[in-house]
Amino acid sequence: MNDVRSVTIEDELTIVFPGTWAMIPLHDEAAASRRISRLVAERVGRADRLARVRRTAKSELEKLVALADASDAFALAMSMEILPGVPFPASIVMAREALPAGVDGDDAAARLERAFPDAEPLTFSFGPVRRRSAVRQTTYDEESAPELVADYRFAAPDGERLVHLRVNAPMATDPELYLELFDAIVDSITFRAPLSRA
């Protein structure tokens, strides 16, 4: 995907990703392993001298998938490029969460505020959102770089659960600019009517 492309996830929502992103299958170890191997071969190359880099990249991706699998995640998207030839490492894990206890009520914004009082309130096209973000220093091969971590939470259309998007963006040299980009990505979400289940 070298252009802006919308992706439908589990017949529930559509999200627009700018640039080149890859979806990694979750809760299917064999499918995830095949997808990771293919991605690593494509992005790193198959030369013998790159074997160590391939192993490291594969191991890091497998850890990310394992963490997502251990949660209630239903999708994992990984960015490869933001523009053709411009690498942009980032991941977005999407999960469902139960509404925290004691935050019942009809107003979604009020429920989110009670559940996440320290998160920043935002209003996107689909409704109220709470965003919590932080920048931490992460070490890569003895080099330190800032990493942006952002959590977005908002009510699913059924009102009985939340959708939680966790963004990880290593080497986020301009966190505010990165947040603007991820705000726009999350704001692109549209919900679809769930398919009837047999």
Side-chain angles (χ1 to χ4, degrees), residues 12 74 96-99 154-163 194:
E12 287 190 41
F74 61 89
R96 298 178 191 88
E97 288 183 353
L99 277 171
F154 47 91
D158 61 14
E160 297 176 4
R161 60 202 166 109
L162 299 175
V163 177

Side-chain angles (χ1 to χ4, degrees), residues 1 7 9 15 17-26 32 35-37 39-40 42-44 56-66 68 75-82 87-94 166-170 182 185:
M1 281 187 265
V7 177
I9 296 167
I15 185 169
F17 291 116
T20 304
W21 291 70
M23 301 300 294
I24 309 293
L26 295 178
R35 182 71 170 128
I36 288 170
S37 294
L39 276 174
V40 169
E42 288 171 5
R43 305 306 296 187
V44 176
T56 301
K58 190 171 188 291
S59 173
E60 290 302 312
L61 291 178
E62 286 170 345
K63 285 179 195 171
L64 182 60
V65 169
L76 168 58
M78 296 192 53
S79 173
M80 305 294 149
E81 296 176 319
I82 195 65
F88 182 70
S91 66
I92 298 178
V93 176
M94 299 174 223
R166 160 63 66 94
V167 170
N168 282 82
F182 291 114
I185 291 172

Side-chain angles (χ1 to χ4, degrees), residues 37-38 40-42 44-51 54:
S37 294
R38 196 163 50 246
V40 169
E42 288 171 5
V44 176
R46 299 178 186 276
D48 290 344
R49 62 186 170 77
L50 298 172
R54 281 195 302 274

Side-chain angles (χ1 to χ4, degrees), residues 98-175:
L99 277 171
V103 293
D104 297 332
D106 295 330
D107 182 63
R111 282 183 297 172
L112 286 168
E113 182 179 4
R114 286 195 299 276
F116 308 102
D118 59 336
E120 184 177 352
L122 303 169
T123 302
F124 287 166
S125 57
F126 54 81
V129 175
R130 300 296 278 199
R131 182 190 72 199
R132 183 183 295 137
S133 62
V135 177
R136 60 190 184 199
Q137 288 298 119
T138 306
T139 302
Y140 305 95
D141 293 328
E142 301 180 3
E143 294 290 329
S144 183
E147 178 182 15
L148 172 68
V149 179
D151 292 287
Y152 295 83
R153 288 184 172 89
F154 47 91
D158 61 14
E160 297 176 4
R161 60 202 166 109
L162 299 175
V163 177
H164 174 199
L165 270 72
R166 160 63 66 94
V167 170
N168 282 82
M171 294 174 276
T173 51
D174 189 340

